[in-house]
Amino acid sequence: MIGDQDTVTQVRNRLRRAQGQLAGVIAMIDDGRDCKDVVTQLAAVSRALDRAGFKIIASGLRHCVTADGNGDEAEMTAEQLEKLFLTLA
């Protein structure tokens, strides 16, 4: 579970924005745009995805830490928690 409905809406909006940005990056590549411009926009897409991931983590940290994916309670180890955070790094 990601979080309450407001959080889900915010995450969905961030992901849709990132999807639009990524489509723009692809169009820039197809149009032969300057490398610097493409990389700048690609970095913006990456930041948007990171923000969506951090929003999910921040809103549902307790659930993420205590649920095993099947809805059952199973505390994560320190290593699992570290891996979860590093996936966004």
Side-chain angles (χ1 to χ4, degrees), residues 31-76:
D31 294 342
R33 295 279 300 270
D34 183 62
C35 177
K36 180 181 174 189
D37 295 335
V38 172
V39 170
T40 299
Q41 288 305 308
L42 196 54
V45 173
S46 180
R47 284 190 304 274
L49 292 174
D50 287 345
R51 282 189 218 123
F54 287 129
K55 182 72 171 176
I56 291 169
I57 296 293
S59 69
L61 183 59
R62 175 166 292 191
H63 180 76
C64 287
V65 170
T66 59
D68 68 0
N70 297 320
D72 298 327
E73 297 292 319
E75 246 182 86
M76 293 180 80

Side-chain angles (χ1 to χ4, degrees), residues 1-17 52 55-56 59-60:
M1 177 168 190
I2 291 175
D4 60 29
Q5 189 57 42
D6 185 49
T7 300
V8 170
T9 299
Q10 290 176 14
V11 169
R12 187 179 296 123
N13 289 343
R14 288 174 193 246
L15 292 174
R16 285 189 177 133
R17 192 173 313 124
K55 182 72 171 176
I56 291 169
S59 69

